[in-house]
Amino acid sequence: MDGKVKKQKQHQQKHSGPKAEKKKLKKQNGSTEEDERKRNPKAFAVQSAVRMAKTFHRAQDIKTKKHHVPVVDRTPLEPPPIVIVVVGPPKVGKSTLIRCLIKNFTRQKLTDICGPVTIVSGKKRRLTFMECNNDINSMIDLAKVADLVLMLIDASFGFEMETFEFLNICQVHGFPRIMGVLTHLDAFKNNKTLRKTKKNLKHRFWTEVYQGAKLFYLSGMVYGEYQNQEVKNLGRFISVMKFRPLVWQTSHPYILADRIEDLTDPERLRTDPKCDRTVSLYGYLRGTHLKNKGQVHIPGVGDFQMSDVNFLPDPCPLPGTQKKRALNEKERLLYAPMAGVGGVVYDKDAVYIDLPANHVKQLQEEVRPTTELVQSLIETHVTLDAKMAASKVSLFSGSAGLDPTDISEVQEGLREIHVWDAHTQTQRRKVVFTGLEEEEDDVSGSSSDEDDDGSDQENQEEEDDLSTFLKEVRDKSEKATKGSTPPVKKRKLEEMQGEEEVIAEAPAFADSEDELERGEADSEGEGEAERAGDSGHCSKESEEDSDDEEDGDEDDESMEEEIGADDSDEEEEQGKYHSGTFKWKEGLQQKASAAFLRHQEAAPNLRKLVYGSVVEAEDSEEEEEELGGLFRVNRPQKSKKVQADALDCSHFNPDISHNWELEEMLNSIRDCFVTGQWEEGQDAATLLKEDEELYGDFEDLETGKVHKGTTGEQDQAETDHQSGRTKSESDEDETDDEDQQVKMDDEEVQKNKRLEKKRRLKERFDTEYDDGDATYFDDLKEEMQKQAELNRAEFEDMDDESRVQYEGFRPGMYVRLEISSLPCEFVTNFDPHYPVIIGGLGTSEGNVGYLQMRLKKHRWYERILKTRDPLILSLGWRRFQTIPLYHIEDHNGRHRLLKYTPQHMHCGASIWGPITPQGTGFLAVQSVSGVKANFRIAATGVVLDLDKSVTIVKKLKLIGYPYKIFQNTCFIKGMFNTVLEVAKFEGASIRTVSGVRGQIKKALSTPPGAFRATFEDRLLMSDIVFLRSWYPVSIPQLYNPVTSLLLPVGQKDSWSGMRTVGQLKHDLGVRNKPSIDSLYKPITRAPRHFNPLHIPKELQKALPFKSKPKLLQPKGKVPRDLKRASVIREPHERKVAELLRALSTVHHYKKKVAQRAHHAKHKEFLQQKEKDEEAKMKRMKDARKKLYRIMGQKDQKKQRSSLKGTPQDD
Amino acid sequence: MASHGLTYEGCNFLRQRLVLSALSGKRVKIKNIRSKDDEPGLRDFEANFIRLLDKLTNGSTIEINQTGTVLVYQPGLLYGGTVEHDCNPQRSIGYYLEALLMLGPFMKSPLKATLRGVTNDLTDPTVDLLKSTALPVMKKFGIDGEGFDIKVRTSWYSVFVEMQSNPGMDKVAMHVILYLNLSLVLHPQVVKRGMAPGGGGEVVFTCPVRKTVRPVQLTDPGKIKRIRGVAYSVRVSPQMGNRIVESARGILNQFLPDIYIYTDHMKGANSGKSPGFGLTLVAETLNGYFLSAEMLSTPQGQGDPILPEDLGRNCAKLLLEEIYRGGCVDSSNQSLALLLMTLGQQDVSKVLLGPLSPYTIEFLRHIRDFFQIMFKIEVQKPLEDERKGGDKVLMTCVGVGYSNISKTLK
């Protein structure tokens, strides 16, 4: 374009003429639409009711299709970080992308990405990045926990199988958000091919995910990183993305562990390195509420019972709620303990704490729980002699560092374990003396159901001499702590509190006061006191004394009073506990008592009555008296025991203190009846008044009289009056009191009343005008909304400690799980590149049973699957190997066994496996080891039914042979072996191969197993008789979890379970001998011999000639006399004939030559003729042309002459 | 891989333990069952209950030691379907029915259980009581529909249906029947009743299956609008019923005029094997909650005989006691309501109860053992000038998100 734009011709409005006229008319008559409707009503009328109905239905269908089933919104207020899984084939740039994104969000560089990396990306959002390596195990596990998948695709190479496999895994386990990222775009030199590839890849990606799925392009690398702008864009996309709730994820709690600690007693490790480990796992809780002591599954390891759960302060908290536009530089946080950031680095047997300088500074400025966590992370697990020698002790990089002498001091007698006590919001460093270790372990171990009262006394004895020893130890530890000079404020605080604190923090056995306590409470209580408030179920109340609980259990007739007494007792006890040398606890005591009082108000004694009896079962051990060493005194059982065997009855016996003869008792329930007094707002009189107010104002049009509704003040008086009347039996003075009270805050009441009235009016208006067309769907949605609000509000104002007990741990919390018996390989072969997922199991999901599923072989898997070949399934959280049986449902509902899966059809599959809710999707692979070129996902499907038995049958044909045939009756042998067998099948229908149907009648005595049968036709001896029957098949009970995480590092993708029969045969070199019958043999067909067709003579005569058999005798030998005689020429004749032949040959030759010449000549002639013709045509054309021209000229002339008469324009 | 089991001692609360075990899939071991008793081990009625549980489930294993003092129960999947069971006459059908009410909605196929035995006795809630109180509670949780009913063989209901299908009926009569029907359904005229020692009654319990139970907020009980009841007598003088009604009305009329107590006298084959009489009273509130009380004559040959007048009066007082306790669920169904709250979606459920019965308290502990659910228990003290009975307890919990894993997906 060159500067000036071509100006288009402007529209000129017509001011006259028909168009203008029309327009004027239009304007005068107003809107045409109205007009048209009036003028031409037929065009706008309903012409076809059916069509109308159809269009209406269609509109409604489209409208309802948009609806989703409303679900209660259960997202927590502070959601857990979003899990972003970066997936792609190797060498595609996954780590680089994560690094770039982290740098983009936090301005920090992470050198190696190990395990999950959590960062704060915005004021309301945190992200957890996890890289998925090229192992199908990791791909399956991560697909289950991902919220967003960044799918990296090497554009220079195109799609790889891993991409499609991952997409299919996602499809099965609920589809998380997927965003494609194209890398290696700088490999394209040609711009056109680049564009073309981009387009191709995009469209293929769309068909897999959904139309319009976002695909990012990372065009190239700059100094080994992606371009800043592109990464920033990607980050922006991530931080505003919305996520859909996935069914499995929203119904199960799960944790992507970002930190793991081995808590096993080092002494035990030393003696038995292969012992089961006690491991604590840390991570953000996601999904739904997690209950303490529940069952969990760790994919790749197995099922475990959680021994304890507690929540920790958030290591990577969202920034405060102050009004700020963006995060400032200091708030950009990063937490990745496995990668060595956020404070902790891993080694096999030690933890290194790293606090970067800026962190420390920031922490000193404002104390935030993050730091406390970092502190609490400091846990060492080392044996004393051997491992200490290797000096793998905790180090503080920010501090002066431990010098070896200090370490040696510590080595001597004790080591410290930092225990984060969430209840007191302090960090406790528990001193553990190695000699005591086993003892200590015992005590804590007794928190399980068994009690060991015996060990209790032992403990007491030992403590006496311990206490003296520990004082020495304490002094040493003080030195050690001072020497280390912790860099963080927390530490300073501790030091300020000084010696007492250290004393206090050497907990149970350090003090006489404690000893007392221990003497009273049993070991169970001790174990719990250690973890007071940490776990979900043992609260402060649970520590109460045993007699207290017994009281509570005994009866509850006068429970209120009794419990009040108990309470005071307990408080006293606590007071005792807190007093004494515990200065450190003083501040706490206030806090605790405040919390306690709050508790008391919220959930008073009844709660203790119901749940306070945790320790009850333990102290039931009865002491036995012996008489003379021979007899035992069998005392009558305690009250509790009696209750244990009491009558099982749900009746609640009435309170004997209530005497229903008395008038006052009767009066106490008067208001429970409609005849009693109503509440202010619900009184009939009040309601009537309100209606009066609303509808009372009206004017009688006929008489012109104006009726006014009564006003508020009058109301009040009236209602009072009326209510006074209604409760005629009640005392007079009561009403008087009420009246006075009402007058006291009359204004208040008036104001409230007005507000109430306004609200009701508005509500009525709303219901009339807004919700007029409220559908069922809207109602449902509103209901869900209400429920969600209630869910939020119910426990909102509680502290987390007690809230956790009711709700369980809510998603978004940072929790620590302790699992007591993990296999040692989990720890020794730990590889942070593999995700450790802790998936919570619902009730009864820990059991095994038969599962019936709908399965379809994946269309990209090139082989069909065989029944009884082991298959690895990913179902729920689990990956396991099992043996499926495939079947299909017949028309009568029978499940018939199939040998192979159908090619392009669903079939049923039954397995023995973990109980998983119906509707859960699963996928199957043949093997998880190694990398294969082909698509690995063998089948996908969904769980339909769970059961403890199965009904799959396979067809069984029993074959017999007739040995005696009467008319339609037959004796058949060979089908059964005994008379009894036959008896079982009497009346069964049988069939021959040729299709003659029959029935088994009766067994014959000889030969055994033979029977009489009748058929619908006569059989031949050559017939084979068979009986079709169905034989139930049993499913092999193989459930073999894939324990890929337990394999050594580097071999984690080489898990192999049970081999298929085919693999076994291949590996062992066994080949089946095929059945002789199945072998192919050359087909030998005996020549067929047909007898001649014989037509009776009579018939022959009657036939027309056409159909009569032609009696053609075969040609016999021609008799000699009929044969022609051969001619033998004379010599002369021979000469003549030869000459003639020669002559004729010559003649022929000549003729031929002449003909050829003639041909040539004729051709020439034809050519000449053609030429002439052409010339002639040309001539004629010319002539015609000339002629036409002349004619044209003449015509023109003629026209001109004819026009001469008219006046000319120009 | 079998989940870790739970261990208990003593035979008390056996039903709770077994029912919760069946619902949660957790193994349960009960030790020391009457181990110090002269007759150690399980009683016949307990064994009978275990047998019923076995009929309802598929794949459960039950191990009982030689003396019957140790029971190990590994639950299978709840199967349901048509079940016929002869209950032990030591306990009434109510004993068995209470468990069935808890299990019924979570079966694979809709339950149709025919129970034969004692319909009314002193120790357990009678069938009439359960029908009139437990079913409305369950309906609040979304468990209702066509086949949700407890029938004592033939009831008035079928008569009503017959009448309804008769087109020739005039409208007024229809309305009368409709009005009556409300109460008639609540109080079926039991046709095959079996009193305490002998038994001989028959009850059909049908229950549809549900995948999930919905959360409830039952916090406002409302005021009582009417009281209904049945005074029944079998193999005694038909006058007994009238005498009971008279005395019961005497007390209840002080509060409410809308009282109707049906008399129901049984004869012949329908009257079971033992004589007896009794009264069941149900108070219905404006918000559709039911509080109930019942009283029976002492079984023949056991203890002192009771006068029908005394029985009527005592029963009325029991109802007053129940009203004094108050709440949205009456005392015998507390545990049922709490169980259904526990098994609800992961939402907050609330229910207002009267004081917790010992049975319920133990049930709460068991729920914590089996489902790790704790209830928030708040005591609501009555206001000064309020005359609505004693303290109430507001129970709040978040459901476990239980879904019926037995139900087949089609």
Side-chain angles (χ1 to χ4, degrees), chain A residues 135-137 872 925-932 936 1051-1057:
Chain A
D135 186 354
I136 197 160
N137 291 312
I872 294 166
V925 286
Q926 284 275 16
S927 86
V928 287
S929 57
V931 182
K932 288 197 189 102
R936 280 180 287 186
Q1051 297 170 35
K1052 286 197 195 289
D1053 61 345
S1054 62
W1055 189 89
S1056 65

Side-chain angles (χ1 to χ4, degrees), chain A residues 72 74 250-251 288-289 291-295 303 305 536-537 553 556 559-560 602-604 606-607 609-611 613-614 616 622 634 637 641 643-655 658 660-661 663 665-675 677-679 682 727 730 734 738 787 790-791 794-795 798 805-807 843-848 854 878 914-915 917-919 942-949 1039, chain B residues 1-4 9-15 24-25 32-36 58-59 74-77 79 91 95 98 108 122-125 211 215 217 220 222-225 227 254-257 286 294 317-318 320-321 323-325 331-332 345-348 350 355-359 361 364-365 368 370-379 381 385-389 391 393 396 398-400 402-410:
Chain A
V72 180
R74 299 198 182 94
T250 48
S251 60
T288 135
H289 297 291
K291 301 275 172 349
N292 200 350
K293 311 258 194 256
Q295 232 183 344
D303 275 18
Q305 187 98 21
H537 282 156
D553 254 7
D556 46 345
M559 56 188 172
E560 302 298 325
L606 206 50
R607 203 196 95 160
L609 174 74
V610 177
Y611 292 120
S613 53
V614 180
E616 174 190 35
E622 278 181 47
N634 202 353
Q637 292 158 343
K641 277 279 174 190
Q643 207 197 3
D645 279 339
L647 187 72
D648 180 15
C649 167
S650 64
H651 257 310
F652 186 14
N653 294 325
D655 194 345
H658 295 163
W660 291 101
E661 306 282 344
E663 188 67 20
M665 267 330 271
L666 294 179
N667 276 337
S668 69
I669 56 167
R670 287 269 178 222
D671 288 347
C672 292
F673 296 88
V674 280
T675 51
Q677 196 184 352
W678 289 71
E679 283 90 38
Q682 290 174 337
K727 43 173 183 174
S730 65
E734 220 177 281
E738 262 187 317
Q787 183 69 51
L790 182 71
N791 289 352
E794 184 58 36
F795 298 107
M798 269 187 178
Q805 289 175 20
Y806 296 125
E807 278 188 317
T843 48
S844 75
E845 277 177 34
N847 295 348
V848 271
R854 193 190 297 132
R878 298 182 168 93
I915 298 282
Q918 319 90 320
V942 67
V943 178
L944 292 182
D945 196 8
L946 312 160
D947 215 332
K948 295 280 183 179
S949 57
Y1039 165 65
Chain B
M1 148 120 195
S3 58
H4 298 259
E9 281 192 24
C11 69
N12 204 358
F13 312 114
L14 179 85
R15 275 181 304 165
S24 68
N32 296 344
I33 302 174
R34 298 196 183 90
S35 54
K36 301 279 170 76
N58 181 19
Q74 169 78 50
L77 280 158
Y79 213 81
R91 299 298 287 264
Y95 176 82
E98 276 187 299
K108 187 184 279 292
L122 279 169
T123 42
D124 292 302
K211 188 135 194 297
Q217 267 75 45
D220 182 20
K223 290 189 187 298
I224 293 164
K225 60 177 176 182
I227 294 173
Q254 299 176 48
F255 295 102
L256 208 64
L286 283 171
E294 63 176 352
K317 282 175 190 168
L318 276 183
L320 295 186
E321 172 78 31
I323 290 166
Y324 180 82
R325 285 174 186 159
S331 63
S332 53
Q345 294 302 292
Q346 295 192 321
D347 292 318
V348 170
K350 286 180 168 193
L356 301 179
S357 71
Y359 188 80
I361 289 174
L364 285 172
R365 292 178 192 149
R368 189 186 52 176
F370 283 96
F371 290 105
Q372 284 91 38
I373 286 280
M374 267 173 87
F375 279 75
K376 185 169 141 196
I377 306 170
E378 289 165 304
V379 175
K381 297 232 184 258
D385 54 342
E386 219 175 25
R387 297 177 301 172
K388 287 190 171 177
D391 293 356
V393 183
T396 311
V398 181
V400 280
Y402 187 85
S403 75
N404 183 357
I405 54 160
S406 315
K407 200 169 175 248
T408 308
L409 195 73
K410 283 290 170 195

Side-chain angles (χ1 to χ4, degrees), chain B residues 9-74:
Chain B
E9 281 192 24
C11 69
N12 204 358
F13 312 114
L14 179 85
R15 275 181 304 165
Q16 290 183 3
R17 288 163 185 169
L18 295 187
V19 163
L20 287 175
S21 162
L23 286 171
S24 68
K26 281 192 173 129
R27 191 161 51 89
V28 69
K29 183 180 182 184
I30 300 169
K31 293 190 294 188
N32 296 344
I33 302 174
R34 298 196 183 90
S35 54
K36 301 279 170 76
D37 206 276
D38 290 344
E39 292 175 56
L42 291 165
R43 294 264 185 281
D44 282 349
F45 67 91
E46 284 161 346
N48 193 277
F49 176 72
I50 293 169
R51 221 165 287 137
L52 171 64
L53 211 57
D54 191 32
K55 277 182 193 171
L56 292 172
T57 54
N58 181 19
S60 49
T61 55
I62 299 152
E63 286 168 39
I64 301 171
N65 74 343
Q66 201 108 50
T67 53
T69 52
V70 178
L71 164 71
V72 180
Y73 178 67
Q74 169 78 50

Side-chain angles (χ1 to χ4, degrees), chain A residues 631-645:
Chain A
F631 303 104
R632 290 206 182 114
V633 177
N634 202 353
R635 289 182 178 282
Q637 292 158 343
K638 276 187 191 171
S639 59
K640 200 180 77 62
K641 277 279 174 190
V642 173
Q643 207 197 3
D645 279 339

Side-chain angles (χ1 to χ4, degrees), chain B residues 111-123:
Chain B
L111 180 69
K112 182 174 185 255
T114 311
L115 306 173
R116 287 188 209 91
V118 180
T119 54
N120 307 58
D121 80 346
L122 279 169
T123 42

